[in-house]
Amino acid sequence: MTATPVEVPRLARLLPKTAHGEVLASRYVLLEIESNSGAVGIGEVTCSPAWNGEEALETSGLLAGPLRAVLVGADPLSWADVSTRFDRTIRGRPFLRAAVEMACLDLASRHLGMPAHTLLGGAYRTRIATKIVLPARKIENVRTMAEGLAGLGIVTVKVKVGLDVDDDVARVSTVRDVIGSDVKITVDANEGWSPPQARSAVDRLSALGVAAVEQPLNRRAWSESAALRRDTGMQLMGDESIWTRADVIEAARTGAFDIVSLYPGKCGGLRRTVALSDLAHGLGLGVSYGSNLELGIGAAAIAHTAAATRHLSSVVPADLIGPLYFESSMVEDAGFVAWDGATVPSGPGLGVRLDGAALEHYRIPM
């Protein structure tokens, strides 16, 4: 088992800024698991300490130390075996857990000569609707970014908000002026508003035709979110609030959200994400796929998981867009992610292969 930490710069074209801050480059750990036969499966850990608490060099150390010790000899075709070993050793690292599952699933499905989604129950779709994300930057910068989206076939744009309500509304208004009325807009506050700010913002954004607002309040403000939802016709989606089965149940119990944002890293694995999507749908919640702007391996894992998810929201498309935002996707071909949507990578396993030259170029010295 090999773990390589990498740092990949963001492209200036859509340089992110949210209520959580701004980032010029992002760190990941790329995982390779080798079987006795020499076959290799690959996984990816998104390392964003301020958001998910998982740091790249520490994660690499866990993979090289205690996890390696317990996983050597495990059967990659038996997730029951691998996950039991993992859960006895590591707590509170869902993105790392998801990466181990990605690599095992990639290895197992390649061995069996089938796409990864087959081992998740099969595909309900091979094409996935997506949205492009614009940052919470100055109005003139966001206008230029929005103008650059013309002609790319984009049908939904998510605008980052949650810093200052007046600026947030002005930013969304500018994007609406640029993209016109035919393109759907959603917004993401990343927990940035207080309840009074959120109420003011939602009222004003509704007039701009915003379809949904993601995580308007603090992740544990269940009752306040429910009150906001009762007073608006706009759809509310939980992201930072939704990590576990208990969170999905609480969202339904309190009425805090219409939709929940799920994805393998946050939910601790591909199989867990599919199970949570079924639970959410059964509780009357819509399901969308979020992201931490994964690179090529993580994006492929999201694509296979979304393919195996029976019910996806028609209001809020997926954030399956990570490879479009970086200098390198770290895979040989990330063409399955495009501006106008994503497709499930073809071929066995996750359908992507690690780019060895990029791995060496972006490697973080240990």
Side-chain angles (χ1 to χ4, degrees), residues 205-249:
L205 291 170
S206 295
L208 296 173
V210 172
V213 56
E214 184 175 343
Q215 201 64 49
L217 303 172
N218 180 273
R219 66 189 66 191
R220 290 296 167 240
W222 298 105
S223 60
E224 294 89 345
S225 182
L228 178 65
R229 177 174 172 255
R230 287 193 297 269
D231 291 340
T232 179
M234 190 185 300
Q235 299 273 289
L236 266 60
M237 183 166 81
D239 180 16
E240 284 90 341
S241 293
I242 309 297
W243 293 70
T244 66
R245 178 182 177 86
D247 294 334
V248 172
I249 293 171

Side-chain angles (χ1 to χ4, degrees), residues 15-361:
L15 195 62
K17 182 178 180 181
T18 75
H20 292 311
E22 56 185 315
V23 180
L24 301 179
S26 294
R27 289 188 166 193
Y28 304 82
V29 174
L30 304 184
L31 172 64
E32 300 170 81
I33 291 180
E34 184 175 355
S35 70
N36 291 337
S37 67
V40 175
I42 54 178
E44 175 187 305
V45 188
T46 304
C47 297
S48 179
W51 200 89
N52 64 19
E54 300 187 44
E55 194 274 330
L57 298 183
E58 185 179 6
T59 296
S60 297
L62 291 173
L63 285 161
L67 267 181
R68 180 183 179 85
V70 299
L71 292 181
V72 169
D75 180 2
L77 273 71
S78 172
W79 180 239
D81 180 21
V82 177
S83 64
T84 296
R85 295 176 187 227
F86 183 100
D87 294 340
R88 286 175 177 169
T89 309
I90 302 293
R91 300 284 185 182
R93 289 183 174 267
F95 285 79
L96 174 54
R97 188 181 192 277
V100 171
E101 186 181 11
M102 282 178 217
C104 290
L105 190 67
D106 185 43
L107 180 58
S109 50
R110 285 187 187 278
H111 172 75
L112 297 170
M114 59 182 60
H117 59 67
T118 302
L119 297 184
L120 297 175
Y124 292 98
R125 63 192 60 79
T126 57
R127 184 163 181 81
I128 302 152
T130 62
K131 58 185 179 294
I132 297 301
V133 181
L134 293 177
R137 294 197 170 275
K138 292 181 179 179
I139 300 280
E140 56 269 25
N141 298 125
V142 176
R143 177 183 291 278
T144 299
M145 291 176 179
E147 290 171 345
L149 302 179
L152 297 177
I154 294 166
V155 297
T156 304
V157 173
K158 178 167 82 173
V159 183
K160 291 289 187 175
V161 293
L163 282 78
D164 173 86
V165 172
D166 288 340
D167 288 347
D168 291 336
V169 173
R171 188 180 309 110
V172 175
S173 179
T174 297
V175 173
R176 173 60 78 199
D177 288 343
V178 172
I179 66 177
S181 59
D182 292 336
V183 177
K184 183 189 296 183
I185 293 180
T186 70
V187 299
D188 183 2
N190 289 114
E191 306 180 89
W193 290 326
S194 67
Q197 288 174 324
R199 189 171 299 276
S200 172
V202 165
D203 288 344
R204 296 164 68 182
L205 291 170
S206 295
L208 296 173
V210 172
V213 56
E214 184 175 343
Q215 201 64 49
L217 303 172
N218 180 273
R219 66 189 66 191
R220 290 296 167 240
W222 298 105
S223 60
E224 294 89 345
S225 182
L228 178 65
R229 177 174 172 255
R230 287 193 297 269
D231 291 340
T232 179
M234 190 185 300
Q235 299 273 289
L236 266 60
M237 183 166 81
D239 180 16
E240 284 90 341
S241 293
I242 309 297
W243 293 70
T244 66
R245 178 182 177 86
D247 294 334
V248 172
I249 293 171
E250 186 70 359
R253 186 189 70 81
T254 60
F257 302 109
D258 300 279
I259 305 166
V260 292
S261 173
L262 308 175
Y263 55 100
K266 188 176 66 166
C267 298
L270 291 74
R271 293 174 176 87
R272 280 186 176 178
T273 304
V274 173
L276 287 181
S277 74
D278 286 339
L279 172 64
H281 177 74
L283 293 173
L285 297 167
V287 174
S288 183
Y289 271 72
S291 82
N292 262 184
L293 289 187
E294 289 77 6
L295 301 176
I297 300 169
I302 291 178
H304 282 277
T305 311
T309 299
R310 184 186 294 268
H311 302 284
L312 287 179
S313 171
S314 60
V315 177
V316 182
D319 281 353
L320 211 175
I321 51 176
L324 300 174
Y325 286 71
F326 293 92
E327 282 187 5
S328 172
S329 67
M330 303 303 296
V331 298
E332 293 177 355
D333 183 6
F336 65 96
V337 175
W339 295 103
D340 62 348
T343 56
V344 181
S346 59
L350 293 175
V352 294
R353 293 190 179 278
L354 191 59
D355 183 335
L359 189 67
E360 292 304 316
H361 182 74

